[in-house]
């Protein structure tokens, strides 16, 4: 691991990003302080019976960052590196994400410190159900609505929905989004983050005069977001996917490949590494390949002052939350690389979560066409709002996105006032 100068603490980074936008907006210092702090933080330590009969205590969090605009919303992450500061940062980013997309939610996030790769399905189910019970005191369809994030999926959401419903005594589909279709999920939710990213990349391409047809793309992370993004860019935009990676490493081929075949290969072998006709690259090298579009779709803190000078893409599309440090942002901006910031680029996920929740509350379900068209409309307007702010204020895309988002939350405070 290369040493970097700047902090990689995600919550310090989130606060620095607020400060930067706050300064440009001339925000009152008291209000700035409000925006830099989470409203509510729940830490839970809970026992789970493991398959070997032993009891293990897990630690989980749910941070409800801000609900000035509407109910708290945000995913739940299972990862060995989960920490309170990470969940705080992720919940903070959810607040700006919902605000920049213009959907009526605040921001929250949850996480459990665990290694889901080393747990059986039964262990994961028991851990999920107990964690759901522990946080049930603060979640609910009108309060705080969780969703999938890193290493959680529709099965995880189904267990949470069932746990909450069992305790209520009736089915409560609106308590989580990202559910399987049969219990109230929405068509298009599984690929929504990536489809939204594709629309955002297309809009960015228009601005920097990059045609997506034939454009070369490197995708870091081949989980839900990265794999759908690679597929959609390949199938719907005719882009050339030349590199993808997962936690075990990456693959590169100048000629490009069909990401659907890579996915089938990964499902068989457990990794993208070794896919025929490609050579191996590291996750770090992948980011520096000579491509048009770099899409970090894994974890935070991977574009830093150390590697930003060597990034060659024209566009960086942030599928991951928080992949870029503020120092790296400055370098990329100076170098003329257009970064589509996470809160905008990957906002399609929570947008279709919102559609799912609306469908649950109204008990009326939409077609895939309805979902895709409404998603496209929201992505394109959000992109243009941010772009116009960038042009008007001569700032980079992240600052512009923060300024749009923060101005919206501040407007909510203006109307609601500070209680009491
Ligand atoms: N975990 C996703 C994100 O970071 C989705 C959140 C949601 O749908 O609530 O945006």
């Amino acid at each position: 691991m290369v040493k970097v100068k700047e902090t990689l603490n995600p919550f310090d980074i989130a606060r620095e990003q607020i400060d930067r936008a706050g300064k440009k907006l001339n925000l009152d210092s008291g209000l700035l302080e409000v925006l830099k702090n989470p409203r509510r933080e729940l830490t839970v330590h809970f026992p789970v019976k493991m398959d070997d009969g032993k009891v293990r205590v897990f630690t989980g969090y749910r941070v409800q960052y801000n609900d000035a605009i509407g109910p708290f919303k945000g995913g739940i992450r299972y990862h060995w590196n989960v920490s309170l500061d990470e969940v705080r940062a992720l919940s903070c980013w959810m607040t700006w994400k919902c605000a920049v997309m213009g959907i009526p939610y605040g921001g929250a996030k949850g996480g459990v410190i665990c290694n889901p790769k080393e747990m059986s399905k039964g262990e994961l189910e028991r851990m999920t159900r107990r964690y759901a019970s522990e946080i049930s005191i603060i979640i609910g369809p009108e309060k705080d609505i969780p969703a999938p994030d890193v290493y959680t999926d529709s099965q995880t959401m189904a267990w949470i929905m069932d746990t909450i419903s069992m305790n209520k005594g009736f089915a409560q589909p609106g308590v989580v989004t990202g559910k399987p279709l049969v219990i109230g999920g929405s068509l298009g939710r599984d690929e929504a983050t990536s489809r939204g990213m594709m629309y955002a990349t297309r809009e960015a391409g228009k601005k920097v005069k990059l045609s997506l047809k034939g454009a070369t793309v490197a995708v870091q992370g081949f989980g839900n977001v990265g794999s759908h993004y690679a597929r959609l860019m390949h199938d719907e935009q005719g882009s050339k996917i030349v590199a993808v990676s997962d936690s075990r490493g990456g693959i590169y081929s100048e000629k490009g490949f069909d990401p659907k075949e890579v996915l089938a290969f990964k499902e068989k072998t457990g990794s993208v590494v070794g896919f025929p006709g490609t050579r191996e690259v590291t996750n770090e090298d992948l980011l520096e390949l000579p491509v048009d579009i770099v899409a970090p779709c894994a974890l935070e803190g991977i574009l830093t002052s150390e590697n930003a000078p060597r990034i060659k893409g024209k566009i960086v599309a942030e599928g991951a939350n928080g992949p870029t440090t503020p120092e790296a942002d400055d370098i990329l901006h100076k170098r003329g690389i257009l970064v589509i910031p996470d809160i905008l680029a990957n906002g399609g996920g929570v947008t279709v979560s919102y559609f799912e929740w609306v469908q649950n509350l109204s008990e009326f379900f939409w077609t895939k066409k309805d979902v895709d068209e409404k998603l496209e409309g929201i992505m394109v307007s959000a992109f243009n709002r941010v772009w116009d702010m960038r042009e008007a204020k001569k700032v980079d895309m992240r600052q512009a996105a923060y300024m749009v988002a923060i101005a919206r939350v501040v407007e909510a405070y203006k109307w609601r006032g500070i209680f009491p």
Side-chain angles (χ1 to χ4, degrees):
M1 198 62 192
V2 193
K3 273 250 169 298
V4 295
K5 296 192 290 288
E6 66 262 42
T7 176
L8 289 180
N9 177 309
F11 192 45
D12 289 341
I13 290 176
R15 295 178 129 204
E16 157 88 24
Q17 290 162 336
I18 300 170
D19 273 334
R20 285 177 171 212
K23 235 182 248 147
K24 297 269 177 202
L25 288 168
N26 279 325
L27 271 198
D28 162 80
S29 63
L31 201 48
L32 191 64
E33 226 19 58
V34 174
L35 302 182
K36 284 172 70 178
N37 285 287
R39 171 157 181 206
R40 193 178 284 133
E41 306 180 332
L42 178 62
T43 300
V44 292
H45 306 285
F46 56 96
V48 176
K49 228 181 250 159
M50 306 305 278
D51 289 347
D52 63 5
K54 293 205 179 90
V55 168
R56 231 184 96 185
V57 174
F58 288 86
T59 296
Y61 308 99
R62 183 75 186 169
V63 176
Q64 298 181 327
Y65 198 84
N66 187 293
D67 66 344
I69 287 182
F72 297 106
K73 183 87 189 81
I76 290 170
R77 173 174 296 198
Y78 290 170
H79 198 274
W80 46 98
N81 282 338
V82 162
S83 66
L84 183 53
D85 267 348
E86 185 192 46
V87 180
R88 283 176 174 143
L90 291 162
S91 67
C92 175
W93 291 326
M94 283 311 301
T95 306
W96 315 131
K97 192 182 300 185
C98 293
V100 82
M101 300 312 295
I103 57 176
Y105 286 137
K109 201 82 173 198
V112 178
I113 307 168
C114 64
N115 187 346
K117 293 185 181 191
E118 287 175 359
M119 293 169 72
S120 71
K121 191 164 179 192
E123 289 171 339
L124 278 172
E125 175 170 358
R126 293 191 294 280
M127 185 187 79
T128 300
R129 287 183 179 280
R130 181 62 190 249
Y131 170 68
S133 293
E134 295 294 336
I135 64 165
S136 67
I137 53 174
I138 58 167
I139 66 169
E142 70 291 355
K143 294 191 269 192
D144 179 357
I145 307 109
D149 195 74
V150 173
Y151 292 132
T152 55
D153 56 17
S154 57
Q155 174 63 83
T156 323
M157 296 307 115
W159 288 327
I160 298 177
M161 179 269 194
D162 185 68
T163 301
I164 303 299
S165 300
M166 283 300 136
N167 284 309
K168 284 264 173 205
F170 54 89
Q172 223 179 14
V175 69
V176 283
T177 57
K179 298 178 292 294
L181 280 182
V182 69
I183 53 170
S186 175
L187 290 166
R189 175 62 186 86
D190 50 352
E191 59 164 41
T193 308
S194 322
R195 178 168 289 282
M197 258 179 92
M198 176 188 75
Y199 295 136
T201 313
R202 186 191 67 195
E203 296 309 300
K206 288 180 196 161
K207 302 293 185 194
V208 302
K209 312 248 174 314
L210 173 72
S211 154
L212 296 196
K213 197 167 162 45
T216 50
V217 187
V219 181
Q220 187 192 61
F222 208 60
N224 185 54
V225 177
S227 64
H228 283 299
Y229 179 68
R231 172 181 60 80
L232 289 165
M233 290 293 283
H234 177 270
D235 290 4
E236 297 199 7
Q237 304 294 331
S239 304
K240 196 155 106 179
I241 312 304
V242 295
V244 298
S245 66
D246 57 33
S247 58
R248 296 200 202 156
I251 53 170
Y252 177 49
S253 152
E254 273 143 53
K255 290 212 299 283
F257 43 75
D258 184 341
K260 295 189 291 301
E261 287 169 18
V262 178
L263 188 63
F265 180 84
K266 183 182 159 99
E267 273 162 9
K268 254 202 315 235
T269 64
S271 175
V272 299
V273 176
F275 182 73
T278 61
R279 69 177 170 84
E280 206 171 327
V281 287
T282 64
N283 262 293
E284 291 77 37
D285 291 344
L286 175 138
L287 299 168
E288 299 174 23
L289 289 171
V291 294
D292 297 314
I293 299 161
V294 180
C297 297
L299 294 165
E300 54 269 16
I302 51 92
L303 286 172
T304 64
S305 60
E306 201 282 317
N307 59 3
R310 297 190 301 274
I311 301 302
K312 297 179 188 68
K314 297 183 184 70
I315 294 174
V316 173
E318 296 186 340
N321 290 314
T324 310
T325 65
E327 290 78 1
D329 264 330
D330 292 341
I331 296 169
L332 295 172
H333 182 58
K334 267 199 210 102
R335 295 188 52 224
I337 296 169
L338 187 71
V339 176
I340 318 172
D342 47 6
I343 59 171
L344 172 65
N346 71 39
V350 72
T351 300
V352 176
S353 274
Y354 166 57
F355 297 165
E356 179 175 331
W357 181 76
V358 168
Q359 292 171 76
N360 293 150
L361 299 189
S362 60
E363 297 185 32
F364 178 78
F365 283 84
W366 307 359
T367 63
K368 175 80 167 29
K369 190 161 168 276
D370 289 335
V371 170
D372 288 354
E373 280 174 5
K374 287 199 171 65
L375 171 63
E376 183 173 10
I378 290 183
M379 286 305 307
V380 173
S381 354
F383 184 93
N384 286 315
R385 270 199 296 280
V386 173
W387 183 267
D388 292 346
M389 181 66 94
R390 170 190 184 271
E391 297 285 281
K393 302 289 172 185
K394 303 276 168 266
V395 290
D396 65 27
M397 283 292 272
R398 188 172 328 270
Q399 285 191 49
Y402 269 70
M403 288 167 77
V404 169
I406 290 177
R408 212 176 189 113
V409 175
V410 166
E411 194 190 340
Y413 275 103
K414 292 253 155 73
W415 284 104
R416 291 181 61 165
I418 300 293
F419 182 82

